[in-house]
Amino acid sequence: MTLQELIANARKDNCSDLHITAGTEVAVRRYGVLHVLDILPTLEEAEGMILSLLSNEEIEYVRAGNDLDVALTDETDGRLRINVYHQRNHLAASIRLLEKEIPTFDELGIGNILGTFADLRSGLVLVTGPTGSGKSTTLASMVEYINANQSRHVITIEDPIEYVFKHKKAMIHQRQIGIDARDFTSALRSSLREDPDVIMVGEMRDFETISAAITAAETGHLVLSTLHTKSAAQTVERIISSCPVEVRGTILHQFTNILSGVVTQELVPRADGNGRVAATEIMVNTKAISNLIKEQKTNQITTALQSGKILGMHTMNADLVNLVKKKVITKQAAMAHTNDKAELEKMI
């Protein structure tokens, strides 16, 4: 079976990932579950498949013993995000199969809050969740909403570029780390001189990037980015803990002034086995929440979310309970994706 056939079959079966490893069977991830297939390429076939995805320069880079992140468009016009690495002295590749079309907010099932955040003229909006929870897709959906509805200049900074946008009402420039820019921090600082309205940062990995994103939001831009956290409270804690002690007070003050909201998401298997559904936690930065952040009382943020329903806020447990009651997901699936099983059990 050729690589193109493997990719086509994986897309047909609604798989999110394809794994090719020289010397072992091909595997796919479908609805969050890994399946090892009865397909065993030879060493030469497997490495040939992997290298066929790379340019000559990238092949040399990998042959020198380096790991590589790259994204490209396949023969079906779908996007692939590829990580090539070495294991047991042979090549392996993890291939993320991105959707051909960027989903709308309705298709994501997250609700109108994304549009509310995307309509902001400035501020910082964070989309958070564990690996594989669809953060990049949600960010892409927000950018595409802006693209379809607003005459704004959007700059994306990604590693690598995942979804490719075609200009509609907006003008979108996409910069890839390692090709178009050295790193996230320098690209963010440079973007301030490029007349942007919106800056999308693929990931805030360190304090330097977080600081540059806060500065960009402070100077009147809308900044969209992601963090690997599993709740609004964890997100705030991550920002606080990333700051050196000597500047923590200053950064915290800036952060509370420019933070607009946090969307935390998990992809939970549907009860009927037909795919996964997004369960979310939504935080809007109200004055009450801003005060909690300034005072570093992150343990009280969940209570504030529970009382902010009129503003579109809710906790992850509240959304999980709602999905269980609607029979969209099972109680067992909800319990597997909560941060507080005791509370969820009581709520159900």
Side-chain angles (χ1 to χ4, degrees):
M1 186 175 289
T2 67
L3 176 61
Q4 288 70 31
E5 289 171 333
L6 285 173
I7 292 172
N9 288 340
R11 287 196 185 279
K12 182 180 177 182
D13 290 337
N14 297 313
C15 298
S16 61
D17 299 87
L18 171 66
H19 296 271
I20 299 173
T21 305
T24 190
E25 290 85 357
V26 171
V28 295
R29 188 175 296 277
R30 184 172 186 267
Y31 302 149
V33 179
L34 190 72
H35 301 272
V36 178
L37 306 180
D38 190 22
I39 300 173
L40 179 59
T42 65
L43 285 172
E44 292 75 16
E45 288 171 341
E47 294 208 352
M49 288 180 185
I50 295 169
L51 295 177
S52 71
L53 297 166
L54 310 179
S55 66
N56 289 335
E57 184 180 10
E58 289 165 345
I59 290 173
E60 287 184 17
Y61 184 77
V62 168
R63 290 291 194 200
N66 299 299
D67 296 347
L68 177 69
D69 283 311
V70 66
L72 53 83
T73 303
D74 66 22
E75 294 180 352
T76 66
D77 290 330
R79 292 287 289 174
L80 306 174
R81 189 183 75 201
I82 305 154
N83 177 265
V84 180
Y85 56 101
H86 299 77
Q87 70 92 40
R88 295 175 62 184
N89 203 33
H90 292 297
L91 289 182
S94 296
I95 304 171
R96 173 65 52 85
L97 308 172
L98 301 172
E99 299 288 341
K100 295 180 185 179
E101 301 294 332
I102 299 171
T104 64
F105 297 156
D106 286 342
E107 289 168 339
L108 288 176
I110 294 180
N112 296 330
I113 192 67
L114 294 180
T116 301
F117 286 146
D119 284 333
L120 295 172
R121 309 314 294 177
S122 64
L124 174 64
V125 178
L126 298 174
V127 178
T128 78
T131 300
S133 61
K135 298 185 297 297
S136 297
T137 301
T138 297
L139 276 189
S141 182
M142 294 178 75
V143 171
E144 184 61 10
Y145 170 87
I146 293 170
N147 191 23
N149 295 284
Q150 303 169 12
S151 298
R152 304 172 83 179
H153 181 202
V154 182
I155 293 178
T156 75
I157 305 169
E158 304 172 71
D159 183 20
I161 291 171
E162 299 190 358
Y163 293 93
V164 175
F165 300 93
K166 298 177 181 178
H167 293 183
K168 294 178 181 176
K169 284 191 174 182
M171 179 173 67
I172 303 176
H173 288 125
Q174 296 183 260
R175 307 190 68 198
Q176 180 164 313
I177 301 303
I179 296 177
D180 306 308
R182 186 175 69 251
D183 52 49
F184 281 110
T185 306
S186 60
L188 255 169
R189 289 172 178 158
S190 175
S191 70
L192 300 183
R193 299 186 293 274
E194 293 155 8
D195 187 36
D197 298 295
V198 181
I199 305 170
M200 190 271 271
V201 186
E203 185 181 347
M204 298 205 303
R205 296 177 176 174
D206 50 38
F207 169 70
E208 287 73 21
T209 306
I210 290 170
S211 179
I214 289 173
T215 299
E218 264 194 322
T219 51
H221 306 89
L222 176 60
V223 180
L224 312 174
S225 192
T226 70
L227 280 173
H228 287 91
T229 51
K230 296 188 69 176
S231 70
Q234 273 190 24
T235 302
V236 174
E237 289 167 3
R238 177 69 58 83
I239 297 292
I240 294 171
S241 65
S242 72
C243 302
V245 175
E246 62 271 18
V247 297
R248 186 168 293 172
T250 302
I251 294 294
L252 203 54
H253 179 75
Q254 293 174 305
F255 177 65
T256 54
N257 287 338
I258 56 87
L259 179 66
S260 299
V262 177
V263 178
T264 301
Q265 60 187 65
E266 291 261 8
L267 291 178
V268 185
R270 290 181 176 272
D272 60 8
N274 188 26
R276 293 183 291 175
V277 64
T280 61
E281 177 167 288
I282 306 294
M283 184 183 83
V284 179
N285 190 20
T286 61
K287 186 175 181 179
I289 287 177
S290 180
N291 288 334
L292 291 177
I293 296 173
K294 286 178 181 177
E295 296 167 10
Q296 299 187 38
K297 296 179 179 179
T298 55
N299 60 317
Q300 296 181 30
I301 287 178
T302 299
T303 302
L305 299 186
Q306 292 168 343
S307 59
K309 188 175 181 179
I310 194 171
L311 297 174
M313 291 193 272
H314 60 254
T315 65
M316 179 64 72
N317 272 356
D319 204 28
L320 289 170
V321 169
N322 182 49
L323 291 169
V324 170
K325 288 184 176 179
K326 290 181 177 179
K327 299 185 178 179
V328 177
I329 65 174
T330 64
K331 177 183 174 182
Q332 290 74 20
M335 296 297 286
H337 288 83
T338 179
N339 291 328
D340 191 337
K341 292 186 178 182
E343 182 196 54
L344 181 62
E345 181 76 47
K346 189 182 299 183
M347 291 172 70
I348 291 176

